Amino acid sequence: MTTMSAERTALRSHSAVAEARQAARAFLAALGQPAIGREQADTVVLVVSELVPNALRHGGGAYTLRLAAHPGTIEVAVGDPSPRLPRMRTPDLVDGTGGFGWHMVNDLAHHVVVTPGPEGGKTVRALLPR
């Protein structure tokens, strides 16, 4: 199987997260046979739905989404211009300020890596089962 990839770069907009989810769905649909299972596809879209808003929020409104299919794995990579690394937080059950997403991404992925960029910024890569 060959590797297939797609890339999307965007600035903050009202529809940026929805566009990122749609890009992920279109990428997965384009993989062809054997198609990715529905549960795995939903997991990929969920991880995109967590990483992109965080990149927008903490990266000043810009992000890059890269998706790649490898044998047995889908790679979701989200880059942003902030050098601030993600961190685990205690989920906020009272005020609703979050803290769930990074735990979830780490639980769903086989492997999560945060790579600082050569000129600042970072890329968060999550390898998900296919």
Side-chain angles (χ1 to χ4, degrees), residues 7-108:
E7 184 171 330
R8 175 160 181 79
T9 302
L11 295 174
R12 182 185 309 254
S13 74
H14 294 295
S15 59
V17 177
E19 290 170 4
R21 283 192 294 262
Q22 182 55 37
R25 286 186 191 102
F27 171 79
L28 296 170
L31 291 177
Q33 296 297 327
I36 185 169
R38 183 179 182 108
E39 185 175 323
Q40 290 83 6
D42 289 346
T43 298
V44 169
V45 172
L46 181 58
V47 168
V48 167
S49 296
E50 285 299 323
L51 294 180
V52 168
N54 287 338
L56 288 168
R57 183 178 308 115
H58 302 293
Y63 76 94
T64 301
L65 171 63
R66 292 179 196 90
L67 301 162
H70 309 286
T73 305
I74 300 292
E75 178 181 349
V76 175
V78 177
D80 70 61
S82 172
R84 189 170 158 205
L85 301 179
R87 63 181 176 83
M88 291 288 184
R89 300 185 328 172
T90 301
D92 182 350
L93 300 173
V94 178
D95 296 323
T97 60
F100 295 94
W102 190 237
H103 289 279
M104 183 176 58
V105 168
N106 279 274
D107 287 345
L108 293 172

